[in-house]
Amino acid sequence: MYQIIDRLEKDRYAEKDELIALLNCDSEEVRSYLFERARRVREGVYGNEVYIRGLIEFTNICKNDCYYCGIRKSNPNANRYRLSKEEILSCCKNGYELGFRTFVLQGGEDGYFSDAVLEDIIKEIKRNYPDCAITLSVGERSRDSYQRLFDAGADRYLLRHETANCGHYHMLHPESMSYENRMQCLKDLKEIGYQVGAGFMVGSPYQKTEYLVEDLLFLKELNPHMIGIGPFIPHQQTEFANQKQGSLTLTLTLLAILRLMFPNVLLPATTALGTIAPNGRELGLLAGANVVMPNLSPVSVRKKYELYDNKICTGDEAAECIQCLTQRVGSVGYHIVTDRGDYKAE
Ligand code: SAH
């Protein structure tokens, strides 16, 4: 096992059966060795710095019906909202004062936010905060649309591939959604010039260890700038309500493996990780993560952007979130920086 880890660090790659062995490994000692290596690699590239992203969940209206997601179209109990341009700008103002230099606009696939509407919002944010990066996370759009939003000033795009196994993809999504289209979107985004983030849920229903290896190999091929992973957490108003949640240990193991395979990648310790364990995000940082994405959304809508049950930080003002995170990040020997936090190329 130790040799597999050493080779993974050196070659940034391992054979399928080696990765499976590592993912299934139940030795605490091996895992702490893996985490230690991942930290060393992370510190070699990003030092002790942790990048923050201000997450603005600007709409929970969605035309899609992903089986796992609490804001899916066919959840009649979701209390729908969309933020106005003014509200979004006010989140940015608040965030800028707190030291954020990246704003992530995330939402459901809400037809109201046409290219023209989004372009206007992006341009206005850029005009007010030219030193900030804008990340979009608004799902699948046409290549032309991605291009227009990029030209308007968007810098980065997060679109998790969710699973690299086509059969598995269709167990998580309705027939109206296609694996090929999601992959095409990621390709388009990369070609246009965005810093691109892909990723997947750990422990999603029907997932097998082999699929996780497919995720790793797919990522190797795509070579994204960011990789977002977090445990699957059931949402009571979805058909996956009674499915098991993803495991903390497996998520941490994957974070560490990703850090060894992609030394420079931007790797968040996600809110979902912080939801399944009180110190989940700290453990994520100790396994190689280097980004945290606190919520900048107005407190009045926080609870409504409920992708999964028991999501944390839905009651706190942004200032309280950042205070709490500063302390948490400090507790594991790292520190938050006021920086756009761009990908560091080799
Ligand atoms: N509509 C956008 C944003 C989706 S929400 C898009 O399609 O990209 C961001 C991510 O939350 C999703 O990509 C998914 O991986 C994750 N997510 C959704 N439901 C979840 C759940 N029940 N548990 C854990 N993560 C979930």
Side-chain angles (χ1 to χ4, degrees), residues 82-97:
R82 76 170 57 103
L83 299 185
S84 66
K85 176 178 161 188
E86 289 67 37
E87 287 173 308
I88 295 173
L89 283 161
S90 134
C91 293
C92 294
K93 180 169 185 287
N94 186 12
Y96 192 87
E97 285 161 6

Side-chain angles (χ1 to χ4, degrees), residues 232-340:
F232 160 74
I233 305 172
H235 184 288
Q236 72 220 340
Q237 284 144 13
T238 63
E239 47 205 86
F240 288 160
N242 298 318
Q243 298 279 347
K244 229 172 83 215
Q245 82 177 21
S247 120
L248 173 68
T249 305
L250 186 57
T251 307
L252 297 173
T253 304
L254 277 156
L255 282 171
I257 292 175
L258 287 168
R259 175 57 68 201
L260 296 183
M261 288 177 76
F262 304 89
N264 297 56
V265 84
L266 296 161
L267 197 59
T270 55
T271 305
L273 188 56
T275 297
I276 62 161
N279 59 342
R281 285 171 300 176
E282 291 90 318
L283 295 173
L285 294 172
L286 290 173
N290 71 321
V291 174
V292 286
M293 299 173 65
N295 205 315
L296 276 185
S297 312
V299 172
S300 59
V301 305
R302 291 270 181 98
K303 282 200 170 46
K304 300 181 188 167
Y305 196 82
E306 194 189 47
L307 307 178
Y308 45 79
D309 292 340
N310 306 317
K311 192 172 149 206
I312 53 167
C313 308
T314 54
D316 298 343
E317 293 291 345
E320 298 169 67
C321 274
I322 196 72
Q323 211 181 351
C324 161
L325 266 177
T326 303
Q327 192 270 326
R328 286 173 182 271
V329 169
S331 77
V332 291
Y334 294 133
H335 62 271
I336 285 175
V337 289
T338 296
D339 193 294
R340 272 174 54 116

Side-chain angles (χ1 to χ4, degrees), residues 62 64 68-70 106-109 137-140 158-160 162 182 200-201 230-235 272 305 307-308:
C62 192
N64 280 337
Y68 44 83
C69 184
Q106 188 179 84
E109 293 196 18
S137 178
V138 289
E140 300 173 26
L158 295 179
L159 184 75
R160 291 189 177 177
E162 311 296 0
R182 197 134 187 118
F200 55 91
M201 288 177 288
F232 160 74
I233 305 172
H235 184 288
Y305 196 82
L307 307 178
Y308 45 79

Side-chain angles (χ1 to χ4, degrees), residues 25 48 65 122 136 138 157 225 231 269 275 283 325:
C25 167
N48 288 347
D65 219 11
I122 293 165
L136 298 177
V138 289
Y157 205 103
H225 305 87
T275 297
L283 295 173
L325 266 177

Side-chain angles (χ1 to χ4, degrees), residues 61-256:
I61 297 170
C62 192
K63 70 170 202 271
N64 280 337
D65 219 11
C66 309
Y67 299 150
Y68 44 83
C69 184
I71 65 167
R72 60 197 301 246
K73 175 177 70 182
S74 67
N75 177 5
N77 297 315
N79 195 344
R80 307 287 172 175
Y81 74 92
R82 76 170 57 103
L83 299 185
S84 66
K85 176 178 161 188
E86 289 67 37
E87 287 173 308
I88 295 173
L89 283 161
S90 134
C91 293
C92 294
K93 180 169 185 287
N94 186 12
Y96 192 87
E97 285 161 6
L98 291 169
F100 289 91
R101 295 297 177 267
T102 290
F103 302 118
V104 181
L105 299 184
Q106 188 179 84
E109 293 196 18
D110 177 355
Y112 169 81
F113 291 97
S114 61
D115 294 342
V117 171
L118 278 179
E119 279 171 329
D120 180 46
I121 294 170
I122 293 165
K123 284 184 185 158
E124 192 65 16
I125 296 176
K126 279 289 185 172
R127 202 173 62 76
N128 286 297
Y129 309 102
D131 54 335
C132 290
I134 297 180
T135 306
L136 298 177
S137 178
V138 289
E140 300 173 26
R141 300 174 80 97
S142 68
R143 181 175 178 128
D144 178 57
S145 167
Y146 288 148
Q147 184 71 56
R148 283 181 62 175
L149 303 178
F150 184 76
D151 294 341
D155 304 271
R156 311 185 185 132
Y157 205 103
L158 295 179
L159 184 75
R160 291 189 177 177
H161 63 282
E162 311 296 0
T163 169
N165 181 282
C166 181
H168 186 217
Y169 187 90
H170 290 289
M171 295 180 193
L172 302 179
H173 302 96
E175 251 176 69
S176 55
M177 294 180 70
S178 109
Y179 171 84
E180 288 75 22
N181 192 55
R182 197 134 187 118
M183 295 299 174
Q184 187 59 46
C185 286
L186 283 165
K187 239 178 106 195
D188 290 342
L189 289 163
K190 221 166 168 218
E191 281 172 16
I192 289 167
Y194 283 95
Q195 288 186 38
V196 172
F200 55 91
M201 288 177 288
V202 179
S204 60
Y206 315 112
Q207 187 176 64
K208 296 184 176 148
T209 312
E210 294 85 77
Y211 299 169
L212 289 170
V213 173
E214 289 179 44
D215 286 317
L216 296 174
L217 300 181
F218 163 73
L219 289 167
K220 204 75 214 182
E221 215 171 291
L222 179 71
N223 197 23
H225 305 87
M226 311 171 264
I227 300 175
I229 68 163
F232 160 74
I233 305 172
H235 184 288
Q236 72 220 340
Q237 284 144 13
T238 63
E239 47 205 86
F240 288 160
N242 298 318
Q243 298 279 347
K244 229 172 83 215
Q245 82 177 21
S247 120
L248 173 68
T249 305
L250 186 57
T251 307
L252 297 173
T253 304
L254 277 156
L255 282 171

